[in-house]
Amino acid sequence: MAEHIPEDVMVQILQRLPIKSLIRFTCVSKRWRFIVLSDHQFAKSQFQITSEQSRTRLLLSTSSESEFESLDTETQLDPQIMNFSVRKLSCPFKQPDDVVRILSSCNGLVCASALYNKEYLNPSNLHIWNPSTGFFQKLPDSLNMQSLCYFGFGYLSATGDYKVIVKIELADLRKKEAEIFSWRANTWKTIQVPYGLPFFGEGFLLNEALHWFKFKGLYTVDIVAFDLAKEEFRRIPLHTTLDRQPRGQCNVFAPYGVAPSSFRGCLCTFDHANVSSIELWVMTEYDVADSWTKLFNIKLINPPTYVYSLRPILVTETCIFLKSVLFIAGGGTESKLIRVFHDEEKLETYMVSSGADVRLRDMITFEESLLWLH
């Protein structure tokens, strides 16, 4: 029947299908396989058309497994149900003795580091990987091979350029430098950082800028943003209430375009002065301090106990996803994925790992796509 359908019409139909179906359809013919896996314009159009309807997924790994798990965020966090919605993914560039760390994602592409039998992060062996298609590309090694302090990965639409920024933990603490890689230029360069340490971990992408929390002291914090176009750092103002939270109780994250229309695309902060209360603050007008608004104040009936850390991963129209690390009897920790609903005083949990030798190493969000570095 496909022989009687003009190809341009067929392509328009395919562009509206989910990634899982498109991957399956690569078996139909060589032409369909080429369109789905090798036509970059088709991949761009499909991502643009379906991005508003596609579900954000969670990609996670533990210290005991070589495979990754991809979780549907709209599935109940019930082990009996999760067995049907969890996808096992193998990393195509992982060598037998490698430890693969997933760092950040953008447009369905994941920035990952493959380390030879090492636990700590460093900027060597960086790869850009599409978990949906298996595409991967190794980046040139950075200028400095010491451990990572913070990092980020983003896309600049004006130039079609993907950029990776890494902050190296230098032996000389007086040096405030970071390194940025441009895919189009295919080179690393060193830039000056006007803000001192510490701010750590993944930078969250919003408005073509990466955002981190920076601690100024025991009870004060800042949001630091890095503009991908200007390649400049700047400070984003926090609400005065959030600016005086104890260290470790306030985190910044972006809703990845799946939040309600009242704060879709807004910068958010997550505050938990104690584990029985969760507050979600939204910056309704970007870079305007007075626009911070408390959107949710959720009280939990049965909050988790013996919490080592609690970190927000994603906020959706109905709930917040949290990564929780809890102490367990006899030593060690267990990791859980927790979903807290906005309008109900309840939470769901999914056991990710348990035991002293098994822990959740990384968890990031990503959107499925057919894109690759072109």
Side-chain angles (χ1 to χ4, degrees), residues 118-171:
K118 293 179 181 178
E119 289 293 314
Y120 59 86
L121 290 175
N122 70 28
S124 65
N125 248 355
L126 286 176
H127 292 73
I128 304 300
W129 169 41
N130 186 326
S132 302
T133 64
F135 161 88
F136 70 92
Q137 179 72 47
K138 185 183 182 301
L139 302 186
D141 288 338
S142 75
L143 304 175
N144 196 307
M145 293 300 170
Q146 300 183 45
S147 67
L148 285 180
C149 183
Y150 59 81
F151 44 85
F153 175 45
Y155 176 71
L156 191 58
S157 59
T159 59
D161 193 11
Y162 286 91
K163 292 187 177 183
V164 176
I165 181 172
V166 295
K167 173 66 176 71
I168 313 301
E169 191 174 2
L170 298 173

Side-chain angles (χ1 to χ4, degrees), residues 245-264:
Q245 293 300 323
R247 177 175 296 191
Q249 293 185 354
C250 196
N251 296 279
V252 64
F253 63 106
Y256 294 94
V258 296
S261 58
S262 59
F263 64 102
R264 182 186 295 270

Side-chain angles (χ1 to χ4, degrees), residues 304-309 324-336 355:
T305 56
Y306 306 107
V307 175
Y308 172 73
S309 68
S324 173
V325 180
L326 312 175
F327 290 111
I328 58 176
T333 60
E334 65 180 18
S335 302
K336 291 184 178 181

